[in-house]
Amino acid sequence: MVSVDPITGVSNAKSFSRYLKEEWRCAYSARQSLALMIIDLGIPSMLINDEKESDKIIRLACDEMKRFARRSGDLVGRYDNEKFAILLVNTDLENARKLAEKLLQLLQQTFEPIRAQHKTIDQHSKQVGINIGVASALPMPGIGSDDLVFRAEQALKGALKKNIAGK
């Protein structure tokens, strides 16, 4: 049973973590890869201070992620405040990266009307920054679901550094 985050309509963090562990065991038995995306929505501070607008952005993103991860076994969950996770069953790293690129494009398109709505604000401050960390693993003895989470977090840190360095 999945418990739902009331603002987003996706799995809450605790429920997502339980589900990940269950799917890890299933993937181990089936000898299938699991992939994990951690998505960081960098909501500009001027929008964070407007809770209604911030929640709207988060709901829009989650609605898009739910439409995106619609295969049986895939799950979208809240990971942290502005961070979300998508578990992709039977998905290797190459395919997970391709899917992350598609998701990034979908989210950028989703946020385009928000950017247009805030025309008077400086271009950089109004953009919702989207960063995605991706990892995949084939469950084996001695490797747990926490290792997959760690790898995805490290990939997200790399994505954040890359975007900061590129500005």
Side-chain angles (χ1 to χ4, degrees), residues 27-57:
Y28 177 81
S29 297
R31 302 188 57 81
Q32 295 178 338
S33 296
L34 281 180
L36 180 64
M37 292 183 200
I38 299 179
I39 301 99
D40 184 347
L41 302 177
I43 299 174
S45 59
M46 53 76 56
L47 294 178
I48 288 175
N49 294 332
D50 181 349
E51 188 175 335
K52 188 176 177 182
E53 189 71 15
S54 178
D55 287 352
K56 176 184 168 186
I57 291 168

Side-chain angles (χ1 to χ4, degrees), residues 89-102:
V89 296
N90 197 19
T91 306
D92 63 15
L93 186 57
E94 181 181 341
N95 286 319
R97 284 183 176 148
K98 289 176 185 175
L99 290 169
E101 289 173 16
K102 287 181 184 179

Side-chain angles (χ1 to χ4, degrees), residues 8-25:
T8 63
V10 301
S11 172
N12 68 25
K14 187 175 182 180
S15 182
F16 185 86
S17 180
R18 267 195 319 266
Y19 186 79
L20 171 60
K21 288 179 173 125
E22 290 170 18
E23 285 300 315
W24 186 266
R25 285 190 291 276

Side-chain angles (χ1 to χ4, degrees), residues 32-153:
Q32 295 178 338
S33 296
L34 281 180
L36 180 64
M37 292 183 200
I38 299 179
I39 301 99
D40 184 347
L41 302 177
I43 299 174
S45 59
M46 53 76 56
L47 294 178
I48 288 175
N49 294 332
D50 181 349
E51 188 175 335
K52 188 176 177 182
E53 189 71 15
S54 178
D55 287 352
K56 176 184 168 186
I57 291 168
I58 289 171
R59 274 193 297 277
L60 280 170
C62 287
D63 288 347
E64 198 61 51
M65 286 186 259
K66 286 187 289 188
R67 280 191 290 275
F68 180 79
R70 62 182 181 262
R71 296 180 311 167
S72 177
D74 292 351
L75 183 67
V76 178
R78 190 147 201 174
Y79 187 74
D80 202 357
N81 292 331
E82 295 176 21
K83 292 181 185 171
F84 297 86
I86 299 178
L87 180 64
L88 302 167
V89 296
N90 197 19
T91 306
D92 63 15
L93 186 57
E94 181 181 341
N95 286 319
R97 284 183 176 148
K98 289 176 185 175
L99 290 169
E101 289 173 16
K102 287 181 184 179
L103 178 62
L104 180 61
Q105 291 172 351
L106 289 170
L107 290 173
Q108 287 171 336
Q109 290 170 358
T110 299
F111 293 138
E112 196 56 45
I114 293 166
R115 291 182 182 116
Q117 180 184 358
H118 297 282
K119 288 179 186 173
T120 59
I121 301 165
D122 161 42
Q123 189 68 19
H124 290 293
S125 65
K126 73 180 177 183
Q127 299 218 2
V128 176
I130 306 160
N131 292 285
I132 303 176
V134 183
S136 180
L138 180 64
M140 297 180 189
I143 298 175
S145 60
D146 292 342
D147 295 306
L148 179 62
V149 172
F150 178 78
R151 290 180 193 173
E153 287 175 342

